Amino acid sequence: MNLTVKTYPNNPAPKLTYDVLIENQQDGGVSATVLGLPDFKGFGVTKEEAIEKLIQLL
């Protein structure tokens, strides 16, 4: 899955795109990890929640 992170509306910097690994956890949750950056992980009950938490970290 590719994840695109938008910058602030008035910032001329380009959008950043990351490859993300989505994994179902044994406890029923979901983790989202930026490939190549294992310290950047988001966890949630759903895939969308895990991705949103990952975006907040970035």
Side-chain angles (χ1 to χ4, degrees), residues 38-53:
D39 292 338
F40 286 91
K41 282 191 174 189
F43 297 95
V45 176
T46 64
K47 177 177 93 169
E48 291 78 13
E49 184 179 339
I51 291 170
E52 183 60 36
K53 290 188 178 184

Side-chain angles (χ1 to χ4, degrees), residues 2 9 17 23 25 28-29 33 40 43 50-51:
N2 285 332
T17 303
E23 296 179 289
Q25 301 297 302
T33 307
F40 286 91
F43 297 95
I51 291 170

Side-chain angles (χ1 to χ4, degrees):
M1 164 180 232
N2 285 332
L3 173 67
T4 301
V5 178
K6 297 178 184 177
T7 57
Y8 292 103
N10 295 330
N11 188 344
K15 295 178 183 178
L16 303 175
T17 303
Y18 300 93
D19 290 322
V20 175
L21 174 64
I22 305 295
E23 296 179 289
N24 293 320
Q25 301 297 302
Q26 290 181 348
D27 64 1
V30 179
S31 70
T33 307
V34 175
L35 295 177
L37 300 172
D39 292 338
F40 286 91
K41 282 191 174 189
F43 297 95
V45 176
T46 64
K47 177 177 93 169
E48 291 78 13
E49 184 179 339
I51 291 170
E52 183 60 36
K53 290 188 178 184
L54 182 61
I55 289 170
Q56 291 172 2
L57 287 173
L58 293 170

